[in-house]
Amino acid sequence: MKNRKVFQDLSQLSRFAAEQFITIGKRSIKSNGRFNVALAGGTTPKNLYQLLASEDFKIRIDWEKVFFFFGDERDVSPMSDRSNFRMVNENMLKTLKIPQSNIIRWRTEIIDAAGVAVAYEKTLRTYFELEEGQFPRFDLFLLGMGADGHTASLFPQSGALAESKRIAVSIFVEKLDANRLTLTFPVINNSSNVLFLVAGESKAEALMEVLEGDSNPDKYPSQKVKPTQGKIIWAFDKDAGSLLKKK
Ligand code: 6PG
């Protein structure tokens, strides 16, 4: 199927994602003078970030015109080993010497999670020069998917799944016994390009349910990712795609 790409392994998946990043980025810079990308956290995209900072890719785009945002974040210090910002910084931003002004992260040093979300929403409204009721439009929104079908920090049965007005929210996630910070589906679905990166056997069941199962977005929140005026590509390795009927 045209919006599905299967790869032998994580390394090939990551190389494809890196090529997509460069292609979409250069096109965005050419037409708008900059590339606004929302990054995924977790472990799957680590390899992608390392690739983008490698000799093969680092010379292929004008990094000064790339602006990095985070689709979601844990409610921890940016120095914490659980921080998505720290993971991205250590695997890519530091190596590429990205200027601080090009990194727009959740300011989790603000004490309460709700305050972090309000601050991030304000930052995005200002950056994208939004009118009331408008949402940011990312050139590329990178997403991962959990074995439970969550994406960003939009987890099954969460109240955040129905959020239709806010850009950024904080939610307490029972199963993690922790607060999470996440951009909402109206933002994700306003993107020009959404690229899901899914790897590993543990994701096979959820991926089959999300892509080929009955509609049940409260149980499988990744089903709600349907860009209204944008492209979506599901890139996965053969293990994650092992239960799909249609490749
Ligand atoms: C996070 C991510 C989250 C992640 C999925 C998959 O903060 O952890 O944003 O949505 O993409 O949980 O995580 P893995 O790539 O580690 O399997």
Side-chain angles (χ1 to χ4, degrees), residues 41-45 72 74 84 144-146 150-152 180 203:
T43 51
T44 304
D72 72 320
R74 289 79 180 282
N84 286 336
M145 189 192 75
H150 84 261
T151 190
R180 282 289 192 98
K203 311 290 177 76

Side-chain angles (χ1 to χ4, degrees), residues 38-125:
L39 300 175
T43 51
T44 304
K46 242 184 223 174
N47 191 221
L48 160 63
Y49 300 145
Q50 290 164 355
L51 258 184
L52 287 170
S54 72
E55 293 306 316
D56 285 4
F57 285 88
K58 71 181 187 181
I59 41 137
R60 291 181 51 190
I61 193 166
D62 180 356
W63 292 105
E64 289 193 356
K65 297 199 172 85
V66 182
F67 291 80
F68 295 92
F69 299 78
F70 293 79
D72 72 320
E73 186 53 280
R74 289 79 180 282
D75 185 25
V76 295
S77 150
M79 273 82 80
S80 161
D81 57 10
R82 287 181 292 131
S83 162
N84 286 336
F85 161 75
R86 178 174 166 182
M87 182 273 286
V88 176
N89 193 40
E90 292 187 348
N91 288 282
M92 174 169 66
L93 303 177
K94 223 163 43 177
T95 312
L96 291 173
K97 297 185 176 53
I98 301 292
Q100 284 309 307
S101 53
N102 287 49
I103 303 168
I104 300 96
R105 65 178 177 82
W106 300 77
R107 310 217 60 93
T108 51
E109 52 277 23
I110 296 172
I111 298 303
D112 75 305
V116 176
V118 167
Y120 204 55
E121 173 150 343
K122 196 160 169 293
T123 302
L124 265 61
R125 283 194 180 289

